[in-house]
Amino acid sequence: MLWKKAWRWWMVVLSAIFLSACSIDSHLYLQEAAVKIDDPFETETEQEFSGLIVTYLALPHGESTLLRMPGGKTMLIDTGTAEDWPVLSARLAELKITRLDYVVLTNDQPEHMGGYASLSQQVLVDAVILPKLIAPSIRHVVLLRSNQKQMEAEQGQVLTLEQDISMEVLLPDEPLFLSPQNNSLVFRLTHGQLRFLFMSAVNEKAEERLLERQNDRLKSEVLKVAGQGSNQGSSQPFLTQVDPQVAIIQTGRSRDQMKDGQTEVMERLGESWAETYVTSHDGSITILSNGKEYRILKQKN
């Protein structure tokens, strides 16, 4: 009888050890599967990265930029033209985007909001951010759903998107310009110590106002160049103040097809020592940011 009790006791002990080992292995596996990498230079894929991911999408005609934040929120800045929608739709599907926390429409120009109608039919949009001063003109062109949250951003406002990520509105302000492009929403996105300046479609007149009124809020590590690299903007005084390390030109024109004005802008950016990328040539440009350091990934079209 004693040997039976001892045998049972040993079986209980061995079972406990086995179950404990399985539990530890399972726990370690789950931990390993959930590991995210904070250092942008230690990862080769966006899926592993735990920080802010900014993707300047390569579209044939218009502009669109996707943000995926550390806490899981997503933001799409502009939606390209209506003709761009098949390309934009495929890119969002590839990135498994079925829902957007925010869509920012920077102006009422086709290159920036033309794809919104198709987007809103296929992707769930929680909130739309519009520049307050020109919101009526955007609503006149874009049909926004009544059950959709609409946020009107005005100059000087700082919107907290997530912890350590904020959006500071620099334009438009009063008095409005006669040129619609110059009344576009211009803002600086801040992630920790890094700053991303989004210039929409403004030209030199709007830049002059920014230099006068927002001079101390322009310096940024990353610049989304205005107007697809048009020489109507990106003046040398403006670039000197921004002092970008990286500049992104979103255009469907290849370097060979660029107009003389765009070539001038490329030269000015070179003189400013900015590392310049053109989406028609380099493909979609993704920046991985942990708030201190960043890394640039190129995805050829």
Side-chain angles (χ1 to χ4, degrees):
M1 294 295 291
L2 289 173
W3 69 268
K4 286 186 178 180
K5 289 183 179 179
W7 179 79
R8 287 174 183 165
W9 183 82
W10 278 110
M11 286 298 292
V12 170
V13 171
L14 289 171
S15 297
I17 292 172
F18 176 76
L19 290 172
S20 175
C22 288
S23 176
I24 290 170
D25 286 345
S26 175
H27 179 66
L28 289 175
Y29 172 78
L30 289 172
Q31 272 193 323
E32 200 170 66
V35 163
K36 288 284 189 177
I37 299 172
D38 179 64
D39 185 343
F41 295 98
E42 291 296 325
T43 177
E44 293 299 327
T45 66
E46 301 172 24
Q47 290 74 18
E48 295 176 340
F49 188 59
S50 64
L52 173 68
I53 304 173
V54 183
T55 302
Y56 300 83
L57 297 166
L59 299 179
H61 306 289
E63 298 186 4
S64 187
T65 302
L66 178 67
L67 275 63
R68 284 165 288 172
M69 304 178 213
K73 288 185 178 180
T74 53
M75 170 186 277
L76 190 69
I77 303 165
D78 289 329
T79 62
T81 67
E83 292 78 14
D84 288 327
W85 172 244
V87 177
L88 178 57
S89 175
R91 193 73 175 96
L92 294 176
E94 180 186 339
L95 295 169
K96 297 180 173 58
I97 300 295
T98 58
R99 173 181 170 275
L100 291 162
D101 292 279
Y102 308 101
V103 170
V104 180
L105 298 177
T106 61
N107 59 46
D108 60 0
Q109 302 300 299
E111 295 80 9
H112 295 261
M113 60 78 205
Y116 181 78
S118 298
L119 174 79
S120 63
Q121 290 175 4
Q122 297 190 32
V123 176
L124 178 63
V125 177
D126 287 350
V128 180
I129 299 177
L130 310 170
K132 184 175 182 178
L133 292 179
I134 63 166
S137 66
I138 295 177
R139 290 193 184 98
H140 181 72
V141 179
V142 178
L143 180 62
L144 300 177
R145 297 179 181 177
S146 57
N147 62 345
Q148 224 164 37
K149 184 178 180 183
Q150 297 179 31
M151 303 168 63
E152 294 188 354
E154 54 187 325
Q155 188 272 325
Q157 187 175 10
V158 178
L159 303 175
T160 300
L161 304 175
E162 262 194 18
Q163 184 178 0
D164 295 330
I165 300 179
S166 62
M167 171 182 173
E168 182 179 12
V169 180
L170 305 178
L171 280 179
D173 63 359
E174 296 285 9
L176 289 175
F177 291 97
L178 293 178
S179 168
Q181 302 93 288
N182 278 333
N183 297 319
S184 299
L185 178 64
V186 173
F187 65 92
R188 187 171 69 169
L189 185 89
T190 300
H191 178 217
Q193 300 171 13
L194 299 179
R195 296 152 297 188
F196 300 74
L197 186 60
F198 290 86
M199 293 300 295
S200 188
V202 301
N203 62 37
E204 192 169 350
K205 290 294 183 183
E207 291 176 358
E208 289 172 359
R209 181 176 292 184
L210 286 169
L211 288 169
E212 291 172 4
R213 303 183 183 183
Q214 307 287 349
N215 192 54
D216 57 341
R217 292 181 171 84
L218 295 177
K219 186 170 176 58
S220 301
E221 284 69 34
V222 182
L223 170 67
K224 197 294 292 180
V225 177
Q228 301 187 38
S230 165
N231 73 331
Q232 299 300 308
S234 303
S235 65
Q236 197 60 61
F238 177 77
L239 293 176
T240 298
Q241 186 58 33
V242 177
D243 192 22
Q245 297 172 9
V246 177
I248 315 290
I249 297 176
Q250 290 178 289
T251 179
R253 293 191 181 97
S254 68
R255 289 177 186 259
D256 294 336
Q257 295 173 324
M258 279 187 165
K259 297 177 181 178
D260 291 340
Q262 288 175 306
T263 304
E264 289 176 22
V265 170
M266 294 281 292
E267 291 173 357
R268 291 202 289 266
L269 287 165
E271 291 168 2
S272 301
W273 298 97
E275 187 176 355
T276 303
Y277 297 88
V278 181
T279 56
S280 60
H281 178 267
D282 299 303
S284 295
I285 303 299
T286 295
I287 298 181
L288 309 180
S289 163
N290 64 6
K292 296 178 183 178
E293 299 176 300
Y294 65 87
R295 181 182 180 185
I296 298 170
L297 304 176
K298 294 194 294 184
Q299 180 173 353
K300 286 288 187 180
N301 295 328

